[in-house]
Amino acid sequence: MYTLFTALFYNILHVLYPVYLSVDYTLIFSKYIFVFAVLFIITIAYTLLYIKDKYIKFSLLALIIAYLPVSNLIPLVNTIADRYMYYPMIFISILFGLLVLKLKKFMSFKLLISFIILLLIVNTAISYDRGIVYNNQYSLYFDAIIKNPNHPRALYNMAIAYYDNKEYEKSLDLLNRLSNINPSYNRELVWFIMGHNYKALKNNELAKQYYMKVFLLAPQNQDFLDVFISMFPSVDSALYYLLNNTKSLDDEIILSFQQYQKSQNTVEIK
């Protein structure tokens, strides 16, 4: 429930004030979130019980139903994401339209039209800016890193974008920062990309070490095995390197090498 109302707070904030949007958010959990939760529940209950307008009631109930799948009642990998509000925004827009109709009784028509035009201009500018950010992976995660400098997934994806852009030193810097912040996050893939970076920088010794660590972590992964062996002139020399850099090798690792040699139609390792 704590996560549910924290996510709800952020989603409402982004709908009302969409000026610091990102592909990844770092949530700040507050001890006051239940105060917001109580006020929110009272507002919803009051509207459903005492507001007579059937269109408002329908839109509010439809909004609640539309939001439930992304509310974190069932935990989500991404606690919040702007796309979660696309479907609920249909009913939020209806509620906004109903509000405009109500305000017609209290505001001059020109003032109301001016407010709507201003809202359209502001949201168009925000949408255009987000379109530029979403141009490619590099621009998307560069924006995310600026807004959430310690978000693990943003760091990981930006590191890959740097690698794809041949900015290997920057990629390594982000991967090292990620390892300090969250050592367990995509650990084998982080080491794998680090190996790629060192290989691209012609530092084959460090590349071998990272490929070795990745393979030892997941010896059943054929891609890890293939890349590690590709760093050596033969399968035997790759195994010899392993034997000299690890205290022991379990049966699963030896079996991986034997299967690899069989697939290459070479002599089995003795």
Side-chain angles (χ1 to χ4, degrees):
M1 296 302 291
Y2 191 65
T3 304
L4 184 153
F5 283 109
T6 300
L8 179 63
F9 171 79
Y10 274 90
N11 283 321
I12 291 175
L13 182 65
H14 293 157
V15 169
L16 298 177
Y17 189 67
V19 296
Y20 205 67
L21 304 178
S22 176
V23 70
D24 282 316
Y25 293 100
T26 300
L27 300 189
I28 300 173
F29 289 86
S30 170
K31 61 183 178 181
Y32 300 110
I33 196 65
F34 282 118
V35 175
F36 163 76
V38 170
L39 292 174
F40 180 79
I41 291 170
I42 290 172
T43 303
I44 297 296
Y46 176 84
T47 303
L48 292 175
L49 289 172
Y50 297 106
I51 300 295
K52 302 300 182 183
D53 192 313
K54 61 183 179 182
Y55 299 109
I56 292 177
K57 286 187 175 182
F58 165 78
S59 300
L60 192 58
L61 285 170
L63 171 58
I64 292 169
I65 292 169
Y67 183 74
L68 278 177
V70 295
S71 65
N72 288 276
L73 276 175
I74 299 172
L76 302 172
V77 175
N78 298 327
T79 309
I80 61 169
D82 296 332
R83 64 183 179 276
Y84 291 170
M85 296 305 293
Y86 291 169
Y87 179 44
M89 274 302 298
I90 295 172
F91 307 106
I92 292 172
S93 299
I94 294 173
L95 286 169
F96 177 75
L98 293 170
L99 175 63
V100 168
L101 291 175
K102 298 290 184 184
L103 288 175
K104 280 176 63 178
K105 300 176 183 178
F106 307 101
M107 295 175 64
S108 70
F109 181 73
K110 287 184 178 179
L111 183 61
L112 193 59
I113 289 297
S114 299
F115 170 70
I116 292 172
I117 290 173
L118 177 63
L119 198 63
L120 284 171
I121 291 172
V122 170
N123 278 279
T124 299
I126 292 169
S127 297
Y128 179 77
D129 178 67
R130 292 305 293 164
I132 294 173
V133 168
Y134 270 84
N135 183 50
N136 54 51
Q137 183 189 30
Y138 193 101
S139 59
L140 180 62
Y141 282 100
F142 189 81
D143 175 80
I145 288 293
I146 292 173
K147 294 171 180 174
N148 301 283
N150 293 323
H151 194 288
R153 189 173 63 180
L155 289 169
Y156 175 74
N157 283 295
M158 190 65 223
I160 293 175
Y162 275 138
Y163 172 77
D164 290 341
N165 204 46
K166 299 182 179 180
E167 298 179 72
Y168 307 119
E169 295 285 358
K170 290 182 179 179
S171 179
L172 284 169
D173 287 343
L174 286 191
L175 291 171
N176 282 318
R177 196 203 309 179
L178 170 58
S179 296
N180 290 330
I181 293 170
N182 188 344
S184 64
Y185 183 86
N186 275 356
R187 182 168 53 182
E188 65 272 20
L189 294 177
V190 168
W191 287 349
F192 198 50
I193 299 300
M194 289 182 82
H196 287 348
N197 278 299
Y198 282 119
K199 183 179 179 181
L201 290 169
K202 309 299 182 185
N203 191 335
N204 287 337
E205 187 53 40
L206 277 177
K208 287 177 185 177
Q209 289 179 25
Y210 277 100
Y211 289 146
M212 178 182 70
K213 288 164 66 175
V214 170
F215 170 68
L216 291 174
L217 194 63
Q220 74 285 353
N221 188 305
Q222 188 66 37
D223 289 337
F224 294 165
L225 176 60
D226 290 346
V227 172
F228 175 67
I229 291 177
S230 72
M231 298 297 294
F232 299 88
S234 68
V235 180
D236 291 320
S237 58
L239 182 58
Y240 182 77
Y241 182 89
L242 270 179
L243 290 168
N244 279 278
N245 285 278
T246 57
K247 292 180 180 178
S248 64
L249 296 178
D250 60 27
D251 293 338
E252 185 181 10
I253 291 171
I254 295 295
L255 182 62
S256 296
F257 273 83
Q258 289 176 338
Q259 290 173 341
Y260 182 88
Q261 286 222 335
K262 284 181 180 178
S263 69
Q264 301 297 313
N265 296 318
T266 55
V267 179
E268 243 185 82
I269 293 173
K270 301 295 183 184

